[in-house]
Amino acid sequence: MLSKRRLLRVRLFFEGAAVGIFTGAIVAALRFLLDEADIYRPIIFAHVDSLGRILLAIGVMILLAAILSRAVSFDGQVGGSGIPQIKGILQGRTQMIKPFRLLAVKFFATVLGIGAGLSLGRAGISVQFGAAVGNLFTKIIYAGNRHHEAVEGNFLLTAGAGAGLAAIFNAPLAGVIFCIEELRKRFSQEILIAAITAAVSASFVVKIVFGVRPVFETITTTPLNIPTVKTLPTLEMVTSLSAAPLKFAALFILLGIICGVAGAFFSKALIFALDTYDRLKIFGVKRFAIPLLLAIPIGMELPQVLGCGNVLVDELLITRPMLSLLVILLAGKILFTLISFGTNAPGGLFLPVLVIGALIGNIFARAGNGINFFTADWTTLFIIFGMAAFFAAVVKAPVTGSILILELTGQFSHLIGLIVVSGTALLISDLCGGEPIFSALLERSQNKKTPSDLESK
């Protein structure tokens, strides 16, 4: 006869697998649509070359702004990343009232907003979708049983959230670590069982659709015809170089310091952007029209800045842009991300943060290469390390970031170096007053009224 706790684990195993399968299907559909948008968006903006077409683009963007405004006001949890909302539910500060409605409305709004060019991510959305699936399963299976709904509901919600992250990046291990490090902040066998089965199931579904290779070893499907990424240099290469290994260790720490300072200020700037829209009383259609209308000239001149940014990371890994262009891309991506995120439009931060980190790492490598401090072969490694370091500085989840980068690149020989550079960035960000961005966003949402509330006054 099984004990109650063992029966709970058995149930969580099968329930986690079911949540993962459904989450994987939803996230696969989202990823497919946003990947298609990355292909056709630059083509569409390239044809906005006359006054009539510009006016048509303006009309379309205003219509999209009206739709996004309506979607966010329809359900308060539709706006924003989704991760702060999940943290609030797990902490007992709020509830997910209608998970199916949230899934439908936010899916539609996310595809429209990011597809049109808003510089937002898809990972936070996927995390929220997975949590919504877990919550929906709980309501269906344990309707009327408050004990099971309370206990297993939180387990399935957490596991679904990890499955969402695992599915969007094909990174099951990062999904599991994310559940423990960022969402629950504590370990239990029940969480581990549910999270592993959900993450693996979700990744399996996504890999059926998109293949099994790591993201940055695939050939991009953009019109740029970018070739396959070459194998990344490993840390073991340091020992074969004539230069002292300590020199390169110092470079990694220096990159972590730079990313730590930049991450702390970026986190503060995100909160400032949200407050600025509220302080200037920019609500409704006007709030979303600002970044969408800005996307037109940006899409015509600098389309790499638009959207999630995963295509830009692919470019950086296999091309050698001019240093001046890298600086422009960095400034443009930061500013447009702040403008886009400040609207509270549906969209996350993971991919924009990774893109900004990749740009910082690329600029760092080009600067070092320019003074002949190391060869150009190290550029790719600094890009990867920059992604992990900036992620750690902003999200304050260094283990999740390091594991995520390893799974994205398929280069597990970088583990020690990634942890070192991420730990450095985390420490420096703390010293600069940077807060975990999702916790800061949750506190802001709890302490301030929503834009729709302010608008009604």
Side-chain angles (χ1 to χ4, degrees), residues 97-141:
I97 305 300
K98 297 183 178 180
F100 183 79
R101 184 181 72 178
L102 173 64
L103 282 168
V105 176
K106 193 154 190 172
F107 185 98
F108 179 70
T110 300
V111 171
L112 289 182
I114 299 178
L118 293 182
S119 181
L120 298 169
R122 54 194 182 184
I125 303 298
S126 301
V127 168
Q128 191 177 21
F129 285 173
V133 171
N135 186 267
L136 186 61
F137 263 71
T138 302
K139 291 180 180 296
I140 294 174
I141 297 174

Side-chain angles (χ1 to χ4, degrees), residues 19-101:
V19 168
I21 290 171
F22 279 88
T23 299
I26 295 170
V27 172
L30 176 69
R31 178 176 167 180
F32 173 79
L33 292 174
L34 293 181
D35 284 348
E36 290 297 300
D38 285 335
I39 296 173
Y40 292 106
R41 188 191 307 112
I43 298 175
I44 293 172
F45 278 116
H47 286 83
V48 182
D49 53 4
S50 65
L51 179 60
R53 291 178 177 178
I54 291 175
L55 293 176
L56 176 61
I58 291 173
V60 170
M61 291 302 189
I62 293 176
L63 176 61
L64 291 178
I67 295 174
L68 289 178
S69 176
R70 177 59 180 166
V72 171
S73 62
F74 183 68
D75 188 328
Q77 294 186 339
V78 168
S81 162
I83 296 178
Q85 292 93 319
I86 302 307
K87 289 173 70 70
I89 293 172
L90 291 173
Q91 293 176 15
R93 298 187 180 190
T94 184
Q95 292 182 339
M96 187 179 294
I97 305 300
K98 297 183 178 180
F100 183 79
R101 184 181 72 178

